[in-house]
Amino acid sequence: MRPLIAAALVLVTVGSAAAGEMFAGTHTYRADSETWMPVPASGWRTVTMVGDYEPMNGPIEAGRIECRGTNYWNKSKVEADGVCVFGELPDQWMLRYRMGRLDRSAKTATPHMRVGEWEVVDGTGKFSGMTGSGTYLAEGAVADSHKYRTRWEGEVTIRE
């Protein structure tokens, strides 16, 4: 009986250490980009997006976020990928994002919102060993502010 209780305690401990927390928030930023269109209706863009993260829920605090990525498009395809770094040293974490479709059903001022997936790559300091994944929605321009906004959501596990 005692070995069974000990095994159950180990499973509960391991399970709680690996349990993720829901994570959601927005990233509002200014974008600097360079576009290259070598043929009509096709192009390549590199983008640097620096701004602030504002949490809606979860263990990630408000703070700085910087993303760097690329976009490719032609008549039938739109793709994007890159990385984002949340926080500042010594406590930072990085995710990789990928987008391969547009949300053409969006009923907003920007009907072609970019929808994608992200996955934690790694972290430093209190985010060392962090894992997680989820989705993002690049909403587009925020009113007349010359800024853009992306919504993040998913699940993250921060090792203690």
PDB file of all heavy atoms in Angstrom, residues 13 29 33 59 61 76 86 89 92 107 109 113 133:
ATOM      1  N   THR A  13       3.062  15.319  -8.081  1.00  0.00           N
ATOM      2  CA  THR A  13       4.122  16.321  -8.084  1.00  0.00           C
ATOM      3  C   THR A  13       4.611  16.594  -9.500  1.00  0.00           C
ATOM      4  O   THR A  13       4.744  17.737  -9.912  1.00  0.00           O
ATOM      5  CB  THR A  13       5.299  15.854  -7.191  1.00  0.00           C
ATOM      6  OG1 THR A  13       4.803  15.601  -5.884  1.00  0.00           O
ATOM      7  CG2 THR A  13       6.392  16.900  -7.151  1.00  0.00           C
ATOM      8  N   TYR A  29       2.653  47.962 -31.093  1.00  0.00           N
ATOM      9  CA  TYR A  29       4.012  48.262 -31.543  1.00  0.00           C
ATOM     10  C   TYR A  29       4.052  49.184 -32.759  1.00  0.00           C
ATOM     11  O   TYR A  29       3.068  49.352 -33.466  1.00  0.00           O
ATOM     12  CB  TYR A  29       4.735  46.958 -31.890  1.00  0.00           C
ATOM     13  CG  TYR A  29       4.019  46.152 -32.941  1.00  0.00           C
ATOM     14  CD1 TYR A  29       4.307  46.317 -34.292  1.00  0.00           C
ATOM     15  CD2 TYR A  29       3.034  45.243 -32.588  1.00  0.00           C
ATOM     16  CE1 TYR A  29       3.638  45.592 -35.265  1.00  0.00           C
ATOM     17  CE2 TYR A  29       2.354  44.512 -33.550  1.00  0.00           C
ATOM     18  CZ  TYR A  29       2.668  44.688 -34.884  1.00  0.00           C
ATOM     19  OH  TYR A  29       1.993  43.979 -35.839  1.00  0.00           O
ATOM     20  N   SER A  33       9.854  48.449 -41.668  1.00  0.00           N
ATOM     21  CA  SER A  33       9.921  47.368 -42.650  1.00  0.00           C
ATOM     22  C   SER A  33      10.651  47.800 -43.911  1.00  0.00           C
ATOM     23  O   SER A  33      10.802  48.984 -44.197  1.00  0.00           O
ATOM     24  CB  SER A  33       8.517  46.887 -43.010  1.00  0.00           C
ATOM     25  OG  SER A  33       7.791  47.920 -43.642  1.00  0.00           O
ATOM     26  N   PRO A  59       0.692  34.227 -16.552  1.00  0.00           N
ATOM     27  CA  PRO A  59       1.875  34.537 -15.749  1.00  0.00           C
ATOM     28  C   PRO A  59       2.862  35.526 -16.376  1.00  0.00           C
ATOM     29  O   PRO A  59       3.866  35.841 -15.758  1.00  0.00           O
ATOM     30  CB  PRO A  59       2.535  33.163 -15.605  1.00  0.00           C
ATOM     31  CG  PRO A  59       2.218  32.492 -16.906  1.00  0.00           C
ATOM     32  CD  PRO A  59       0.809  32.935 -17.221  1.00  0.00           C
ATOM     33  N   GLU A  61       4.100  39.115 -17.292  1.00  0.00           N
ATOM     34  CA  GLU A  61       3.837  40.485 -16.879  1.00  0.00           C
ATOM     35  C   GLU A  61       3.925  41.442 -18.065  1.00  0.00           C
ATOM     36  O   GLU A  61       4.521  41.131 -19.085  1.00  0.00           O
ATOM     37  CB  GLU A  61       4.876  40.923 -15.826  1.00  0.00           C
ATOM     38  CG  GLU A  61       4.850  40.111 -14.561  1.00  0.00           C
ATOM     39  CD  GLU A  61       6.186  39.407 -14.334  1.00  0.00           C
ATOM     40  OE1 GLU A  61       7.161  39.684 -15.037  1.00  0.00           O
ATOM     41  OE2 GLU A  61       6.231  38.546 -13.453  1.00  0.00           O
ATOM     42  N   SER A  76      -1.758  33.998 -54.703  1.00  0.00           N
ATOM     43  CA  SER A  76      -2.510  32.924 -54.043  1.00  0.00           C
ATOM     44  C   SER A  76      -2.025  32.587 -52.638  1.00  0.00           C
ATOM     45  O   SER A  76      -2.614  31.731 -51.980  1.00  0.00           O
ATOM     46  CB  SER A  76      -2.456  31.660 -54.897  1.00  0.00           C
ATOM     47  OG  SER A  76      -1.110  31.222 -55.017  1.00  0.00           O
ATOM     48  N   PHE A  86      10.120  38.513 -25.369  1.00  0.00           N
ATOM     49  CA  PHE A  86       9.366  39.187 -24.309  1.00  0.00           C
ATOM     50  C   PHE A  86      10.312  39.486 -23.154  1.00  0.00           C
ATOM     51  O   PHE A  86      11.124  38.639 -22.781  1.00  0.00           O
ATOM     52  CB  PHE A  86       8.253  38.278 -23.783  1.00  0.00           C
ATOM     53  CG  PHE A  86       7.082  38.102 -24.699  1.00  0.00           C
ATOM     54  CD1 PHE A  86       7.193  37.383 -25.885  1.00  0.00           C
ATOM     55  CD2 PHE A  86       5.848  38.642 -24.360  1.00  0.00           C
ATOM     56  CE1 PHE A  86       6.095  37.206 -26.710  1.00  0.00           C
ATOM     57  CE2 PHE A  86       4.746  38.461 -25.182  1.00  0.00           C
ATOM     58  CZ  PHE A  86       4.871  37.747 -26.365  1.00  0.00           C
ATOM     59  N   LEU A  89      16.627  41.498 -20.264  1.00  0.00           N
ATOM     60  CA  LEU A  89      17.611  40.731 -19.506  1.00  0.00           C
ATOM     61  C   LEU A  89      17.616  41.178 -18.053  1.00  0.00           C
ATOM     62  O   LEU A  89      17.426  42.357 -17.785  1.00  0.00           O
ATOM     63  CB  LEU A  89      19.011  40.913 -20.115  1.00  0.00           C
ATOM     64  CG  LEU A  89      19.233  40.169 -21.429  1.00  0.00           C
ATOM     65  CD1 LEU A  89      20.583  40.541 -22.016  1.00  0.00           C
ATOM     66  CD2 LEU A  89      19.138  38.666 -21.235  1.00  0.00           C
ATOM     67  N   GLN A  92      14.163  37.031 -19.983  1.00  0.00           N
ATOM     68  CA  GLN A  92      13.557  37.119 -21.313  1.00  0.00           C
ATOM     69  C   GLN A  92      13.124  35.739 -21.764  1.00  0.00           C
ATOM     70  O   GLN A  92      13.661  34.731 -21.317  1.00  0.00           O
ATOM     71  CB  GLN A  92      14.559  37.647 -22.345  1.00  0.00           C
ATOM     72  CG  GLN A  92      14.975  39.064 -22.160  1.00  0.00           C
ATOM     73  CD  GLN A  92      15.952  39.502 -23.239  1.00  0.00           C
ATOM     74  OE1 GLN A  92      16.854  38.772 -23.622  1.00  0.00           O
ATOM     75  NE2 GLN A  92      15.762  40.709 -23.730  1.00  0.00           N
ATOM     76  N   LYS A 107     -14.886  40.260 -39.709  1.00  0.00           N
ATOM     77  CA  LYS A 107     -15.828  41.350 -39.975  1.00  0.00           C
ATOM     78  C   LYS A 107     -15.345  42.595 -39.251  1.00  0.00           C
ATOM     79  O   LYS A 107     -15.978  43.082 -38.328  1.00  0.00           O
ATOM     80  CB  LYS A 107     -17.224  40.944 -39.531  1.00  0.00           C
ATOM     81  CG  LYS A 107     -17.789  39.802 -40.354  1.00  0.00           C
ATOM     82  CD  LYS A 107     -19.132  39.375 -39.818  1.00  0.00           C
ATOM     83  CE  LYS A 107     -19.802  38.323 -40.628  1.00  0.00           C
ATOM     84  NZ  LYS A 107     -19.067  37.235 -41.100  1.00  0.00           N
ATOM     85  N   ALA A 109     -12.517  46.317 -39.705  1.00  0.00           N
ATOM     86  CA  ALA A 109     -11.979  47.290 -40.656  1.00  0.00           C
ATOM     87  C   ALA A 109     -10.823  46.698 -41.456  1.00  0.00           C
ATOM     88  O   ALA A 109     -10.521  47.165 -42.546  1.00  0.00           O
ATOM     89  CB  ALA A 109     -11.514  48.536 -39.911  1.00  0.00           C
ATOM     90  N   MET A 113      -7.113  39.652 -41.584  1.00  0.00           N
ATOM     91  CA  MET A 113      -6.243  39.511 -40.426  1.00  0.00           C
ATOM     92  C   MET A 113      -5.361  38.279 -40.567  1.00  0.00           C
ATOM     93  O   MET A 113      -5.797  37.248 -41.048  1.00  0.00           O
ATOM     94  CB  MET A 113      -7.071  39.399 -39.150  1.00  0.00           C
ATOM     95  CG  MET A 113      -7.779  40.656 -38.786  1.00  0.00           C
ATOM     96  SD  MET A 113      -8.545  40.431 -37.177  1.00  0.00           S
ATOM     97  CE  MET A 113      -9.504  41.898 -37.077  1.00  0.00           C
ATOM     98  N   SER A 133       2.909  26.968 -26.236  1.00  0.00           N
ATOM     99  CA  SER A 133       2.512  27.193 -27.619  1.00  0.00           C
ATOM    100  C   SER A 133       1.105  27.784 -27.630  1.00  0.00           C
ATOM    101  O   SER A 133       0.408  27.783 -26.625  1.00  0.00           O
ATOM    102  CB  SER A 133       2.543  25.888 -28.412  1.00  0.00           C
ATOM    103  OG  SER A 133       1.625  24.965 -27.862  1.00  0.00           O
TER     104      SER A 133
END
